[in-house]
Amino acid sequence: MRGNIEASKQRSNEKHGTTKRTRIIRIIGRSLLSVIILIGLAIITCWIVVFPKTPRFLVETGQVIAISSTRTMLNATIAYTVKSYNPNKRASIHMDSMRMIVTNMGQTFSSDIPTFTQKPGNLTVLSSAVQGNFEYPFGFKEEIDPNLRFEAKVSYSVERWMSKPRLLEIYCDRLWLLINDSRTFENTECKVDL
């Protein structure tokens, strides 16, 4: 009988030890889950408050200045004035390695645009030009339709935090230009791909 009582006490002590370990594991698990949920909520809150918007680009004017021309070739400078607007309320936009690329009849010409940073709500006017020999296999034309595109490495910054640079591509179309004339596009909006 005495043996049964001691065995019963031993089982009770083993159960108590197992229950105590299970309770500690549950407390640790719940604590870790709570910390993960709080960190997730903090990240989501920061993202909603600072949510970086893509910049807006508007083509204001375009101009073709002919240097020389023949029936099949046009040596000219193509210049554009483009507005870049930062719609963010808190995030600044840093544009690096920006290039203007003009493509016409399979030929590509490009020029570099200096690095710049746009503060929140800032409007920056960019003027850039490319010079090249454009081929016209069907004879001289008075009007050309070059494809305008921009590439840049863009990063966002809020106070001391700065995002990793990402590739920004901007596509502008429907930009018919007259040779030796300037054209206003009434702020034609470009497609921005980030």
Side-chain angles (χ1 to χ4, degrees):
M1 187 111 159
R2 198 171 192 189
N4 286 340
I5 292 172
E6 286 180 15
S8 174
K9 278 185 181 179
Q10 191 175 4
R11 277 189 230 125
S12 173
N13 286 341
E14 285 176 10
K15 269 187 179 179
H16 182 66
T18 305
T19 305
K20 193 174 182 181
R21 275 184 262 142
T22 305
R23 179 185 277 165
I24 291 172
I25 291 172
R26 282 184 191 158
I27 291 171
I28 291 171
R30 287 179 183 158
S31 299
L32 286 174
L33 184 62
S34 298
V35 168
I36 291 170
I37 289 171
L38 287 174
I39 290 172
L41 286 172
I43 290 171
I44 289 170
T45 303
C46 286
W47 187 253
I48 289 171
V49 169
V50 180
F51 185 70
K53 298 174 186 168
T54 57
R56 292 180 58 211
F57 284 84
L58 307 164
V59 180
E60 194 173 53
T61 62
Q63 183 177 16
V64 179
I65 303 163
I67 297 168
S68 65
S69 62
T70 64
R71 284 201 52 76
T72 58
M73 294 289 289
L74 171 65
N75 184 359
T77 299
I78 298 178
Y80 287 101
T81 303
V82 178
K83 291 180 183 175
S84 173
Y85 175 69
N86 178 1
N88 293 296
K89 293 181 181 174
R90 289 188 171 87
S92 295
I93 298 175
H94 181 73
M95 300 274 189
D96 191 22
S97 306
M98 191 169 194
R99 291 176 50 213
M100 179 178 89
I101 302 163
V102 176
T103 307
N104 189 50
M105 306 275 300
Q107 300 167 301
T108 302
F109 306 96
S110 67
S111 69
D112 293 331
I113 296 173
T115 299
F116 64 95
T117 300
Q118 283 188 287
K119 300 288 182 197
N122 184 293
L123 179 71
T124 303
V125 179
L126 308 170
S127 295
S128 188
V130 294
Q131 184 176 351
N133 289 315
F134 300 92
E135 287 183 35
Y136 288 100
F138 308 114
F140 184 75
K141 300 177 181 179
E142 289 294 320
E143 197 172 46
I144 62 172
D145 179 25
N147 293 321
L148 176 63
R149 181 167 67 93
F150 293 90
E151 286 181 353
K153 289 181 183 172
V154 64
S155 52
Y156 293 94
S157 63
V158 179
E159 294 181 20
R160 295 178 188 212
W161 173 83
M162 189 168 214
S163 70
K164 290 182 180 179
R166 294 169 55 191
L167 181 64
L168 175 76
E169 293 181 328
I170 302 134
Y171 303 95
C172 310
D173 53 3
R174 302 179 310 277
L175 301 174
W176 286 93
L177 296 172
L178 290 171
I179 295 171
N180 287 328
D181 197 6
S182 178
R183 182 167 278 179
T184 302
F185 295 105
E186 298 176 11
N187 295 324
T188 301
E189 191 153 2
C190 301
K191 181 186 170 201
V192 178
D193 188 14
L194 182 61

